[in-house]
């Protein structure tokens, strides 16, 4: 049984050691499922996390994620948490003004976006966000000729992280082991239907405790299960199902 006094990045390292080449995630690309092993999962998070560190993401700072469900969303989420920073999810359907509100309210230093559509929303309000330093784009299609200095490709950040790992192979694990159960892992914002969105601060201990003692007695997940990611990842239930619960139980998450 997973202990409550741990953190989500620490669980990722544990599952990587335990499951190695077993499938952690699958993503459908042009009709074909591409598999990601637990070992690859750890390496992806390690590279992006160290890249964020190179960009200056500090402990207790905030970074947001804006885009549809995909493995990179999860990698970014755990990469931010692995540095002791706080991850903030934003609904991909939000307008530019709604995006501005959450980036401003959460005091996000950086935002990871899926594509040109989401990048354009951030760029439209960037001048009103003095704390925002970087817009990290997963899919650079359509942005090749953008000249905003805050834009950087997700793949470039990964490469920065891989170079950092070569210089200091133990740094990522050191940072992960320094995360604490009482740390805020992520902030989940309400949809804002009855007023400005409100941010709920969720600690590692909070999310792991409610999975083990609240959800598991009802859902009975095991590492033999497979789950299709469907709800927006910034929603607390999907954040549980696709990011946190696989780290507790070891099941496979699929992105169609």
């Amino acid at each position: 049984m997973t202990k409550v006094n741990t953190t989500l990045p620490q669980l990722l390292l544990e599952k990587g050691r335990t499951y190695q080449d077993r499938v952690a995630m699958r993503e459908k690309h042009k009709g074909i499922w591409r598999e990601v092993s637990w070992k690859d999962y750890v390496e992806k998070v390690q590279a992006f996390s160290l890249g964020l560190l190179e960009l200056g993401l500090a402990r207790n700072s905030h970074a947001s994620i804006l885009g549809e469900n995909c493995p990179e969303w999860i990698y970014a989420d755990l990469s931010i948490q692995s540095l002791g920073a706080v991850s903030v999810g934003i609904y991909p359907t939000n307008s530019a003004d709604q995006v501005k509100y959450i980036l401003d309210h959460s005091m996000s230093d950086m935002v990871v976006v899926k594509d040109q559509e989401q990048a354009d929303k951030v760029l439209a309000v960037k001048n009103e966000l003095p704390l925002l330093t970087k817009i990290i784009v997963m899919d650079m299609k359509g942005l090749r000729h953008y000249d905003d200095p805050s834009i950087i490709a997700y793949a470039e950040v990964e490469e920065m992280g891989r170079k950092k790992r070569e210089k200091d192979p133990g740094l990522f694990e050191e940072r992960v082991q320094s995360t604490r159960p009482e740390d805020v892992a992520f902030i989940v914002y309400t949809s804002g239907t009855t007023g400005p969105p409100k941010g709920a601060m969720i600690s590692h201990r909070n999310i792991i405790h409610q999975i083990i003692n609240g959800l598991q007695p009802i859902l009975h997940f095991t590492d033999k299960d497979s789950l299709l990611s469907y709800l927006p990842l910034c929603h607390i239930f999907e954040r549980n199902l696709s990011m946190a619960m696989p780290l507790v139980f070891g099941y496979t998450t699929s992105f169609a």
Side-chain angles (χ1 to χ4, degrees):
M1 174 63 70
T2 298
K3 59 187 178 183
V4 172
N5 287 324
T6 186
T7 68
L8 297 168
Q10 288 170 18
L11 286 176
L12 175 64
L13 289 184
E14 177 190 301
K15 288 297 183 290
R17 287 190 293 265
T18 301
Y19 292 130
Q20 297 279 326
D21 293 321
R22 281 182 59 171
V23 177
M25 296 182 191
R26 298 187 305 152
E27 181 181 23
K28 207 164 202 179
H29 181 70
K30 295 183 178 178
I32 298 171
W33 287 106
R34 297 192 293 196
E35 297 181 342
V36 178
S37 70
W38 280 99
K39 184 170 65 178
D40 291 338
Y41 186 177
V42 173
E43 289 177 355
K44 290 280 190 182
V45 171
Q46 180 184 51
F48 193 67
S49 185
L50 293 177
L52 292 176
L53 186 62
E54 283 286 86
L55 288 177
L57 190 65
R59 182 176 178 82
N60 296 323
S61 59
H62 299 73
S64 292
I65 311 170
L66 171 60
E68 288 78 17
N69 297 20
C70 62
E72 287 77 15
W73 207 109
I74 304 286
Y75 303 153
D77 195 10
L78 284 162
S79 294
I80 294 162
Q81 295 177 40
S82 294
L83 299 178
V86 180
S87 174
V88 181
I90 304 177
Y91 282 97
T93 52
N94 278 7
S95 67
D97 282 342
Q98 290 170 318
V99 168
K100 184 194 83 170
Y101 177 85
I102 292 176
L103 290 174
D104 179 51
H105 188 267
S106 67
M107 296 187 293
S108 288
D109 296 332
M110 303 178 189
V111 59
V112 182
V113 302
K114 181 72 182 285
D115 51 23
Q116 182 183 18
E117 177 189 359
Q118 305 301 349
D120 283 344
K121 293 177 188 177
V122 180
L123 289 169
V125 296
K126 189 176 76 99
N127 290 339
E128 301 172 67
L129 298 166
L131 295 179
L132 193 69
T133 60
K134 290 295 177 187
I135 303 169
I136 303 167
V137 185
M138 299 177 196
D139 181 359
M140 288 292 290
K141 184 178 179 182
L143 284 93
R144 298 296 178 187
H145 302 296
Y146 282 41
D147 59 1
D148 192 293
S150 63
I151 293 175
I152 184 170
Y154 185 99
E156 188 177 338
V157 179
E158 281 187 309
E159 185 57 30
M160 291 166 60
R162 282 190 283 268
K163 289 177 180 175
K164 181 116 182 135
R165 180 178 57 199
E166 288 173 10
K167 294 177 185 174
D168 193 346
L171 179 60
F172 176 68
E173 186 154 350
E174 286 173 20
R175 295 302 297 253
V176 168
Q177 296 306 338
S178 72
T179 59
R180 301 169 302 201
E182 63 271 20
D183 289 343
V184 176
F186 54 87
I187 295 175
V188 175
Y189 275 86
T190 59
S191 59
T193 45
T194 58
K198 291 163 279 292
M201 299 183 293
I202 311 296
S203 70
H204 296 280
R205 182 182 285 124
N206 177 309
I207 194 90
I208 295 167
H209 182 277
Q210 63 92 17
I211 287 170
I212 294 170
N213 297 296
L215 294 175
Q216 181 58 3
I218 300 166
L219 298 175
H220 305 292
F221 276 117
T222 74
D223 60 5
K224 306 293 191 297
D225 287 312
S226 181
L227 177 134
L228 179 68
S229 183
Y230 174 71
L231 291 171
L233 277 166
C234 54
H235 190 286
I236 184 60
F237 194 46
E238 193 64 42
R239 200 72 156 272
N240 262 312
L241 289 169
S242 293
M243 186 275 291
M245 291 178 71
L247 299 178
V248 175
F249 302 117
Y251 62 73
T252 301
T253 305
S254 298
F255 298 92

